[in-house]
Amino acid sequence: MLQLLPSRNGVNSMQVFQSRFGQIEVDPDTIIHFPLGIPGFEDCKNYKLLHEESQDPQVLWLQSLDDSAAMFTLIEAERLGLNYMLTLSDEECDLIELKNAEDAKLFLILSRPDGSQISANTRAPLVINLQSRKGLQKLDVKADIVFRNT
């Protein structure tokens, strides 16, 4: 459930009510927009990236602002020592307004099916343009995954 409320400085801010995190105040300038949604969640286009209170958070949560039940656990691909050689089409770059590769950050969705070990979806990373705060999920990535020593 979303509600637009006036903030302390007079600028409107959104608040999302989510059971896991309670009430969260969201600055509109921090919303990440997925123009096409995320496959399976096409109606969820606006998200807030949340993290544990830490100088260097390991795990992040991508909380939908359109459906409070939709939340994804993420990790930066770099944290796992993964380097992708990923090619985005001109249409994909235009969709997320990506002009410089350095502005893109890759995230992997984590899951724990049936309470088993945690796994990362390495074949469908999320690509987020940190400048425009727009993202997409790149499906069926067939790029080589190169492990590096950290």
Side-chain angles (χ1 to χ4, degrees):
M1 172 190 233
L2 293 175
Q3 184 178 6
L4 194 60
L5 299 172
S7 69
R8 292 183 199 112
N9 61 9
V11 177
N12 286 337
S13 66
M14 266 193 277
Q15 293 196 1
V16 60
F17 300 92
Q18 209 280 55
S19 60
R20 180 171 180 175
F21 298 104
Q23 184 174 323
I24 302 165
E25 188 169 329
V26 178
D27 177 348
D29 291 334
T30 64
I31 293 172
I32 299 171
H33 182 71
F34 285 76
L36 302 177
I38 293 174
F41 298 87
E42 288 83 2
D43 292 337
C44 298
K45 298 187 186 296
N46 298 299
Y47 291 84
K48 173 68 178 169
L49 198 56
L50 306 169
H51 58 82
E52 60 194 340
E53 289 189 35
S54 165
Q55 293 275 7
D56 189 25
Q58 301 289 313
V59 177
L60 306 156
W61 294 276
L62 190 65
Q63 172 63 62
S64 169
L65 300 177
D66 301 311
D67 178 355
S68 64
M71 182 176 66
F72 303 94
T73 304
L74 307 180
I75 191 165
E76 291 181 40
E78 290 177 352
R79 289 224 177 255
L80 298 179
L82 302 176
N83 288 329
Y84 282 84
M85 294 182 185
L86 191 66
T87 302
L88 296 180
S89 68
D90 289 342
E91 293 80 17
E92 290 169 324
C93 288
D94 289 345
L95 184 69
I96 63 172
E97 300 175 13
L98 184 64
K99 295 181 183 12
N100 300 307
E102 303 81 41
D103 294 338
K105 190 68 117 171
L106 291 175
F107 295 91
L108 305 177
I109 296 176
L110 299 176
S111 64
R112 180 182 264 175
D114 303 323
S116 62
Q117 291 183 339
I118 296 172
S119 64
N121 183 350
T122 58
R123 294 190 46 88
L126 297 178
V127 181
I128 297 177
N129 179 344
L130 300 176
Q131 298 302 312
S132 69
R133 290 179 312 284
K134 291 186 178 183
L136 61 83
Q137 185 171 25
K138 182 73 173 173
L139 301 176
D140 295 323
V141 172
K142 300 203 183 348
D144 291 330
I145 297 175
V146 179
F147 292 90
R148 63 175 168 80
N149 294 328
T150 55

